[in-house]
Amino acid sequence: MPDEVLDCRGQRCPLPVIAAARRMPQVPVGTVVRVLADDPAAAVDLPAWCRMRGQEFLAAITGPDGPAYDIRRTH
Amino acid sequence: MSASSVYLDAATAAPLHPVARQALLAALEDGWADPGKLYSQARRARQLLDAAREAAAQTLGVRADELSFTSSGTTAAHGAVLGGLAGRHRAGATLVHSAIEHSAVLHAAERHVAAGGVAHSVPVDRVGRLDLEAWSAAVRAPGVALAALITASHEVGTVQPVAEAAAVCGDVGVPLYVDAAQSVGRVPLPAGWSILSASAHKWGGPPGVGLLAVRKGTRWESPWPADEREGGRTPGSVNLPAVVAAAASLRAAAADAAAEATRLDPLVDRIRTRVAAEVPDVEVVGDPVLRLPHLVTFSCLYVDGETLLHALDRRGFAVSSGSSCTSSTLRPSHVLEAMGVLSHGNVRVSLHRDTTESDVERFLAELPGIVAGLRADAGVVGL
């Protein structure tokens, strides 16, 4: 289960990525943040952001809140 | 000071080649009659059409009777896919295609699936190159009627392993269709294909002319209502003046292609290197070596693609983007998605015969400031 949820539903690219980039440095290393984002570009851009920033992309899931993406702060 | 205009979207449409303009004007004079009729005006039109077909066929390395002129590259791609599938319906109902085909090919595939057929998409790697192992497995599966592979990606420029992909197809007797829109008139064509399509406005011909080549011995059946024109491969009257201009400019572009590639290739290298070095948080995508000589694509982190295109346009730069906010469907480019690379803040730059070194230098000089300005406006500096 994620440690916290970042609700970016209704936001267009690149806003969900910007929201994740703002939040990650504020959480302790090891924290898993679940990003809720219904913009289809998030499915491409959140994993790409993790790769570029050396953070860990855990999984893309579709739950009751729509598409969601789990990211772990690794550094 | 108003910025002078620098057009960098040749992969969408190259500026009209001077040879095309000249041929178009000449052909408007005596290329208006129906080439199918039996009077002297028609015979003159027929001569022009035959000469255009002969010239274009020679440039492509095919026989004249293997080549048809269509009303666009899109129509040629639709005909290639649907006709290739129809001609082989006894062999099966599966279309194998790469994940990075042009949307014209994918839309034809959707039509095929809606009619009960099967489409199997083969993945690419991070630089946008076909996974040959997956391709081989897909093509060798039972029931494959046709395989489709773009010669080089229209979005990121990565050249595809067509000869290797064709060898697999040859092994099992599956015809290979290649969408050669970005290659014809610019780089030598790969061998081993059975069906090819191309688009005149990509090489400096007029818009509204496509090429469809079907090699002898290929089972291909027209997906359109019957029409005897153009070898029965595409219905309707051809736009003869535009066809004449397309053929003349194709010959001219092909004659200059090697020299142009030698001139543009280092400019693309310069863009790849300088953008990566001088714009922070940018991802330059596509294969840095096995690529088209005139096309480069990159994505700028945290930048909105549409805003970036407008900002570049205000400074006189015309470029294209695969970002979702620039598409009518609000979906990111399926090519960038298949590669798993950043899709927002995406810019495709494609060069042509009128592009000068100073055009490229001005773009490179202005881009870092434009991106920095947009990031400052969005409050994302330092993220």
Side-chain angles (χ1 to χ4, degrees), chain B residues 1-27:
Chain B
M1 186 194 84
S2 71
S4 64
S5 172
V6 176
Y7 183 81
L8 299 172
D9 195 18
T12 296
L16 198 66
H17 195 291
V19 167
R21 181 185 305 275
Q22 210 175 14
L24 185 62
L25 291 173

Side-chain angles (χ1 to χ4, degrees), chain B residues 157-169:
Chain B
T158 302
V159 169
Q160 299 304 313
V162 175
E164 293 89 332
V168 174
C169 292

Side-chain angles (χ1 to χ4, degrees), chain B residues 6 9 11 34 38 49 67 74 77 104 200 206 213 255 258 291 318 337:
Chain B
V6 176
D9 195 18
D34 185 332
L38 298 175
L49 181 57
L67 180 64
T74 298
R291 58 164 175 78
E337 191 174 1

Side-chain angles (χ1 to χ4, degrees), chain B residues 4 26 32 38 58 81 90-91 118 130-131 199 228 241 289 311 324 340 365 379:
Chain B
S4 64
W32 49 269
L38 298 175
Q58 206 169 38
V81 171
R90 282 188 189 83
V118 176
L130 182 74
D131 179 341
S199 176
E228 77 281 8
V289 181
S324 57

Side-chain angles (χ1 to χ4, degrees), chain B residues 159-241:
Chain B
V159 169
Q160 299 304 313
V162 175
E164 293 89 332
V168 174
C169 292
D171 271 358
V172 287
V174 170
L176 175 66
Y177 155 55
V178 291
D179 165 8
Q182 293 300 336
S183 299
V184 166
R186 290 195 181 270
V187 292
L189 287 178
W193 52 268
S194 298
I195 306 171
L196 172 145
S197 69
S199 176
H201 68 154
K202 312 292 188 192
W203 69 68
V209 180
L211 301 182
L212 173 61
V214 180
R215 303 312 301 265
K216 279 274 170 277
T218 305
R219 288 186 186 279
W220 187 92
E221 200 175 285
S222 174
W224 317 119
D227 192 313
E228 77 281 8
R229 287 169 285 202
E230 291 302 300
R233 296 188 195 101
T234 187
S237 297
V238 296
N239 179 348
L240 185 53

Side-chain angles (χ1 to χ4, degrees), chain A residues 12-14 17-19 21-22 39-45 47-49 51-53, chain B residues 126 281 283 301-304 324-325 330-332 337 340-344 379-380 383:
Chain A
R12 292 273 171 223
C13 78
V17 176
I18 292 171
R22 284 216 169 94
D39 182 342
V44 185
D45 288 355
W49 177 83
R51 180 168 47 74
M52 290 171 81
R53 282 291 186 258
Chain B
R126 184 60 51 73
D281 289 327
E283 192 168 44
L301 195 58
Y302 308 137
V303 175
D304 179 272
S324 57
C325 40
L330 291 177
R331 288 198 65 84
E337 191 174 1
V341 296
L342 202 64
S343 78
H344 67 246
V380 296
L383 277 188

